[in-house]
Amino acid sequence: MKALDRKLLRDLRLMWSQALTIALVVASGVAGFITSFSAYDALSWSRDLYYADARFADVFATLKRAPLSLERQLQAIPGAAHVETSLAQVVPINIPNVADPIVGSLIGLDARAPQRLNKVHLRSGRMIETHTAGAIEALVSEGFAVARQLKPGDRIHALVNGKREELLMVGIALSPEYIFAGMGGSPDQRGFGVFWIDRRALGAAYNMEGAFNQVAVRLSPGATEGPVIDHLNRLLEPYGGTRAHGRDLQMSHMILNSEIKEQRVLGTVLPSIFLAVAGFLLNVVLSRQIATQREQVAALKALGYDNLSIGLHYLKLVMVIVVVGVALGLGLGALMGQWFVGIYADVFRFPELRYRVAPVLIISAVGVTVFAAVLATLNAIRATVRLAPAEAMRPPSPGVYKPMLIERWGLQHWFSPAARMVLRTMERRPLRTGLTIFGIAVAMAIVITGAFWRDTIVVLMNTQFKEVLRGDVSIALMEATPARIQHELAKLPHVTAVEGARSASVRLVHANHFWRGAVQGKTEQPELHRIVGLGHQVLTPPLAGLLLTDRLAERLQVKPGDTLQMEFLDGRREVHPMAVSGIVTEMMGMNAYIERRALNAILREGDLVNQMTLAVERGHEAELLNTLKELPRVAVAVSKSVMRKNIDEVTARNVLVFSGILTVFATIIAIGVVYNNARIALAERAWELASLRVLGFTRGEVSAFLLGELAIEIAVATPLGMLLGYLLASTIVRLIKTDEFYFPMVIAPSTYAFAALCVFAAGAVSALIVRRRVDSLDLVGVLKTRE
């Protein structure tokens, strides 16, 4: 073995704790990058493969009823490669021994003809056969089947056009239209199921034989959806067609894309910062570590080793640490990424949620880490190897001593001699001190960024389910009904208050910007379902004009006072100019509000409602839901507790799991930064500390000189770390803002305290280790080395 290799092994043995912590920092950066970005890659890759295999449509349209003879004209639309029509109806579902209200989407499937678009993928059981008599055979969506423990052979009931029908489950299936299943953008695999039944049976039940009410279009290569949508709208308008839309407004695709966007941001921004901090730590730590071996470099040069050999020696030292860290990071990142993707499998239903660690991810992680390590090594040895051996063997020139800042200000009497020595050392090396403080502050900022999600989720959930939705049960009616139904519902057992609202499907247009959704007609003073903005600001719906959420105003590019066009998508399809009366920042959804009577007046209808919010005596929600299942005008009824549970189990859980992963990695980085700075400071000042011991200073006093510097650096870095953490967290919140959620920028004092505690704990442990090493200093050995 070569002499330099033996020296390498000896150095690693002597600095094993520092090497290990640096390797763990590198591993945290690499693992965070691989975990999050591979999860993003898995979602987008699985989506693209499934869409291609299932021939997922590009354009969608819903209408009231059109004859099958119209298909010939639809097929002739320029730019449309394939057109497929279908039947779909939303119905109440009843499962034996289940009290919860359940909504089902019945989709007609032609058992005798293969699907060309949105192919149904059979997971288990068999396909349906042509309906003859008895129970209607059905395929059930996998998410609902798993949540309700349904299997082929089970029977449930559906209220089909007012008639109770028995559905026989013959298979469990998936569809690209329902990768994400839920009502109104909220995940609900227990309360919403998709059922594919024989198209003829569904058509017969609703008197729609030879008709359809849904259209899916796949575009020709090179075609754009705009002209196809316009042509489709013209053909379907006489048949009650709502405006066609592209994939961007298809519910499942929209939610999936939103999650992919969030994961891309989280998988890019934070892990990139992790890798940058790891590189920064490598640079600072290794530069100072190699600088402590100044005399060894000089001795090697005196023995005939050239600069290249010495440089390669230290490069090997760095590469050993980096290789260990990268190997740990890649392995841990792949395992955690696969586990994280498994969590997504409970929300997004693919035939196969494929996981991979793409070579480009490995190359990126390894490349950034190795580049930082090599750069650190080259910078560290460049100044040292240039020195002549005789000069390098001498101690560095003493620093230029001059009055300190506190002395120039006349404050020196307020500080003990030990404190003045500590401050003088820090002031003599401002760059090193500044880099140390910045490194500790960044580590603390990363801990805050990993942990603040819990505060955000708590505020979001409390705002939505305590301040906005103060009722206990929400109801959607089959159709708009006179508002006097509120009095009928108020007479139901255990109902204490009722609040009615009117929702109307609209298309809001401003210049070349548009949004398709529903305008919410609220009562004049909402109490059970309120409009609440950031800062707990409670607003009332305008009597004239529209109150828009900020994300909707941003999409439409409008501000208060601007006028937009409101096109109703049902009924007479009238278009009305509407002024924007105000903008509110809400945390969930994109909404447009107006007072209910004002909305009904625009529609030239009486005081109608189609949504109800009920306050119920505590503990009686289930009993009321059972009663509501028997009311024919009630299409959907769901309790607030169920809605909150759905979000807690899906969205909130995923965010909190990812937050936990980031917090662990960030804490490791914080410990690595603080510990390595303390150990290197000891190595740099060993001769000075040994001299003080010889002069009669106690071990405690000598330790105070070194650890006092660390304490001051941590104290200065703490407020800076809090500021950096807030800025970093707010940047991420802005980047992941979606149409469905606006995560409030909230960092609780407990999160700041937790981050500070992590840094203080790392400092305390580092102090104990350093104090132990100071106590065991070989005074003669250290002083002789300097000679």
Side-chain angles (χ1 to χ4, degrees):
M1 180 181 294
K2 296 180 180 180
L4 286 181
D5 292 335
R6 288 197 296 271
K7 177 182 179 300
L8 172 64
L9 295 176
R10 184 170 60 252
D11 287 345
L12 286 172
R13 180 175 57 83
L14 293 174
M15 59 177 292
W16 69 269
S17 58
Q18 291 170 265
L20 178 61
T21 53
I22 295 173
L24 288 176
V25 170
V26 172
S28 297
V30 173
F33 179 78
I34 296 296
T35 297
S36 50
F37 214 93
S38 63
Y40 154 74
D41 180 59
L43 280 178
S44 56
W45 185 41
S46 299
R47 176 201 61 190
D48 295 342
L49 290 175
Y50 185 31
Y51 280 2
D53 184 62
R55 297 181 60 80
F56 187 43
D58 299 297
V59 175
F60 305 84
T62 302
L63 57 147
K64 292 188 179 300
R65 176 193 177 104
L68 289 176
S69 59
L70 186 65
E71 284 187 345
R72 186 176 296 104
Q73 297 180 56
L74 297 176
Q75 295 286 358
I77 293 176
H82 297 286
V83 176
E84 188 161 279
T85 62
S86 61
L87 283 175
Q89 296 288 344
V90 175
V91 299
I93 298 293
N94 185 18
I95 299 178
N97 303 318
V98 174
D100 298 342
I102 300 171
V103 176
S105 178
L106 300 185
I107 299 177
L109 194 64
D110 192 341
R112 300 167 300 177
Q115 287 183 289
R116 292 180 296 175
L117 299 179
N118 305 328
K119 295 180 181 178
V120 174
H121 177 86
L122 190 64
R123 295 286 272 182
S124 64
R126 62 172 176 83
M127 293 296 291
I128 60 173
E129 297 176 353
T130 302
H131 177 64
T132 52
I136 300 174
E137 293 187 352
L139 302 177
V140 58
S141 54
E142 184 182 55
F144 182 77
V146 171
R148 290 299 182 181
Q149 299 181 346
L150 296 176
K151 59 185 183 300
D154 289 344
R155 296 172 184 264
I156 63 175
H157 294 90
L159 191 64
V160 181
N161 200 17
K163 181 181 178 182
R164 183 182 175 90
E165 297 282 0
E166 187 176 55
L167 302 183
L168 171 63
M169 304 297 105
V170 297
I172 296 174
L174 298 174
S175 167
E177 294 180 277
Y178 297 99
I179 292 175
F180 174 91
M183 295 289 287
S186 176
D188 189 0
Q189 298 190 94
R190 296 178 60 83
F192 176 76
V194 183
F195 303 87
W196 293 269
I197 66 174
D198 181 57
R199 178 168 177 166
R200 289 192 173 188
L202 184 59
Y206 286 91
N207 298 317
M208 291 188 68
E209 299 96 332
F212 62 90
N213 61 5
Q214 286 194 336
V215 179
V217 180
R218 189 170 178 87
L219 299 178
S220 303
T224 57
E225 66 179 31
V228 173
I229 289 176
D230 292 339
H231 203 144
L232 193 59
N233 287 332
R234 287 194 297 270
L235 290 175
L236 297 181
E237 185 174 359
Y239 303 97
T242 59
R243 282 193 170 268
H245 58 85
R247 284 184 183 177
D248 59 325
L249 295 179
Q250 201 273 336
M251 181 58 67
S252 173
H253 177 81
M254 186 168 60
I255 299 295
L256 177 57
N257 266 17
S258 174
E259 190 67 37
I260 289 175
K261 174 190 172 183
E262 291 179 15
Q263 195 60 44
R264 182 175 67 246
V265 172
L266 296 177
T268 304
V269 177
L270 284 178
S272 296
I273 295 173
F274 280 19
L275 288 176
V277 171
F280 168 80
L281 182 62
L282 280 169
N283 202 320
V284 173
V285 171
L286 294 174
S287 297
R288 293 172 64 181
Q289 180 67 32
I290 295 174
T292 62
Q293 298 190 4
R294 170 189 175 106
E295 294 86 354
Q296 296 181 33
V297 172
L300 291 172
K301 295 187 71 174
L303 292 173
Y305 289 96
D306 57 21
N307 292 346
L308 179 60
S309 299
I310 297 173
L312 289 176
H313 163 69
Y314 283 106
L315 189 59
K316 288 181 182 178
L317 173 68
V318 174
M319 285 299 104
V320 170
I321 299 173
V322 169
V323 166
V324 172
V326 168
L328 285 174
L330 291 177
L332 183 61
L335 289 174
M336 298 191 73
Q338 194 164 15
W339 171 66
F340 198 61
V341 166
I343 295 177
Y344 274 122
D346 294 336
V347 184
F348 301 107
R349 294 287 171 172
F350 294 91
E352 182 181 0
L353 186 48
R354 307 188 184 199
Y355 180 78
R356 66 179 179 182
V357 180
V360 66
L361 299 183
I362 298 175
I363 293 172
S364 299
V366 174
V368 171
T369 308
V370 170
F371 175 78
V374 172
L375 185 64
T377 306
L378 294 179
N379 285 336
I381 68 175
R382 182 175 55 184
T384 304
V385 299
R386 286 180 176 176
L387 294 176
E391 182 182 354
M393 286 183 178
R394 292 195 298 269
S397 301
V400 178
Y401 288 89
K402 57 184 178 181
M404 294 185 301
L405 186 63
I406 61 172
E407 293 171 337
R408 294 195 295 271
W409 287 354
L411 302 176
Q412 64 272 20
H413 301 297
W414 293 86
F415 298 89
S416 65
R420 291 201 297 271
M421 290 179 66
V422 171
L423 294 174
R424 183 177 293 111
T425 301
M426 296 176 67
E427 192 172 336
R428 280 177 53 209
R429 299 175 178 176
L431 180 60
R432 192 196 71 177
T433 301
L435 288 176
T436 301
I437 291 173
F438 180 74
I440 296 173
V442 170
M444 184 175 179
I446 294 177
V447 176
I448 292 172
T449 307
F452 92 101
W453 293 102
R454 297 179 181 274
D455 308 328
T456 295
I457 292 296
V458 168
V459 170
L460 189 151
M461 299 296 283
N462 286 341
T463 300
Q464 191 64 27
F465 291 103
K466 290 184 179 179
E467 298 185 40
V468 175
L469 183 56
R470 302 204 297 179
D472 301 298
V473 173
S474 298
I475 297 174
L477 302 178
M478 289 288 188
E479 57 185 10
T481 304
R484 61 176 176 270
I485 192 177
Q486 296 177 90
H487 303 297
E488 299 176 23
L489 293 175
K491 297 177 182 178
L492 294 176
H494 311 298
V495 174
T496 59
V498 178
E499 185 174 283
R502 174 76 187 273
S503 174
S505 297
V506 298
R507 184 172 181 263
L508 302 182
V509 181
H510 178 255
N512 60 337
H513 306 284
F514 72 92
W515 172 76
R516 178 184 172 188
V519 61
Q520 306 291 328
K522 295 280 189 181
T523 188
E524 189 173 354
Q525 291 287 340
E527 291 296 334
L528 299 183
H529 199 156
R530 304 190 299 175
I531 306 170
V532 180
L534 289 183
H536 312 287
Q537 178 187 14
V538 180
L539 292 89
T540 57
L543 298 176
L546 295 175
L547 175 65
L548 306 180
T549 55
D550 59 337
R551 297 189 294 286
L552 179 53
E554 183 179 342
R555 172 179 285 194
L556 296 174
Q557 295 294 295
V558 294
K559 58 184 183 299
D562 289 345
T563 300
L564 49 76
Q565 300 298 314
M566 182 167 69
E567 175 188 346
F568 289 96
L569 300 179
D570 296 319
R572 289 184 289 269
R573 298 174 177 269
E574 296 178 345
V575 178
H576 295 266
M578 299 292 294
V580 178
S581 64
I583 295 175
V584 58
T585 300
E586 289 189 313
M587 297 183 189
M588 296 184 69
M590 296 177 68
N591 298 300
Y593 298 107
I594 189 173
E595 199 272 333
R596 187 184 77 210
R597 290 184 175 86
L599 175 61
N600 282 319
I602 294 172
L603 290 168
R604 300 202 301 273
E605 296 175 346
D607 189 15
L608 304 181
V609 296
N610 56 9
Q611 295 178 343
M612 312 292 293
T613 305
L614 280 59
V616 185
E617 294 176 359
R618 183 181 297 275
H620 293 281
E621 289 91 345
E623 184 177 344
L624 175 63
L625 290 172
N626 272 329
T627 302
L628 293 174
K629 289 167 65 175
E630 304 301 324
L631 301 181
R633 283 181 289 185
V634 174
V636 179
V638 61
S639 68
K640 178 170 68 174
S641 60
V642 170
M643 287 189 284
R644 178 158 192 169
K645 182 180 178 181
N646 289 334
I647 295 178
D648 280 338
E649 288 182 350
V650 180
T651 305
R653 182 194 63 178
N654 291 353
V655 171
L656 294 180
V657 166
F658 192 72
S659 169
I661 294 172
L662 293 180
T663 303
V664 171
F665 289 156
T667 304
I668 292 173
I669 289 177
I671 293 172
V673 169
V674 175
Y675 174 73
N676 277 281
N677 276 293
R679 283 298 311 274
I680 291 171
L682 173 61
E684 290 175 335
R685 302 182 63 186
W687 188 88
E688 179 184 342
L689 298 176
S691 299
L692 292 174
R693 288 281 290 115
V694 171
L695 291 175
F697 285 84
T698 65
R699 293 172 178 172
E701 291 171 331
V702 171
S703 299
F705 294 134
L706 183 62
L707 300 180
E709 181 177 343
L710 176 63
I712 293 174
E713 290 169 342
I714 291 177
V716 174
T718 297
L720 178 60
M722 292 180 179
L723 175 61
L724 290 177
Y726 181 89
L727 294 176
L728 181 57
S730 61
T731 299
I732 292 173
V733 165
R734 286 195 300 271
L735 289 174
I736 66 171
K737 184 172 69 172
T738 66
D739 294 347
E740 291 74 38
F741 290 101
Y742 174 80
F743 292 101
M745 183 53 235
V746 178
I747 303 179
S750 58
T751 298
Y752 286 121
F754 172 74
L757 181 62
C758 288
V759 174
F760 293 161
V765 172
S766 302
L768 290 174
I769 295 174
V770 169
R771 169 62 191 267
R772 184 177 177 183
R773 290 185 175 273
V774 169
D775 292 345
S776 60
L777 275 178
D778 181 0
L779 304 183
V780 175
V782 171
L783 294 174
K784 284 178 66 178
T785 300
R786 194 60 176 267
E787 295 171 357

